[in-house]
Amino acid sequence: EYGYKTGTSQAVAYVSGLAGLLYSIAVDTDGDGQVNDEVRAAIEGSCQPLQTVGVGGGLVDAMEAVEMLNGW
C-alpha cells in the first residue's frame, strides 16, 4: 500500500544524489584540501523555501546548486 511520507528519511536520497553530482564538479576554493564545505554551502544556499513550518532547510534545487558551485 502506498501513502504520503515526509521527513529526512524521505529526503536523503535526493540530497545524497545531489551531493554526489556536486562532488564530481566541485573545486577546493578555500584551500583547505577538501571540497565538502563547498558542496554543503551549495546545497544549503540553493534550497528553495517551503511554506510549511518545521520542514528543514527547504526544497533542494539541483540546477541552482550546480550554478552556485560553478560561479554562474
Side-chain angles (χ1 to χ4, degrees), residues 6-25:
T6 63
T8 56
S9 60
Q10 302 301 311
V12 70
Y14 296 101
V15 177
S16 61
L18 176 57
L21 170 67
L22 296 177
Y23 272 106
S24 73
I25 61 171

Side-chain angles (χ1 to χ4, degrees), residues 48-71:
Q48 302 302 316
L50 296 174
Q51 302 302 318
T52 307
V53 175
V55 291
L59 180 68
V60 293
D61 185 338
M63 181 61 87
E64 179 71 22
V66 169
E67 289 174 354
M68 284 182 69
L69 204 57
N70 283 327

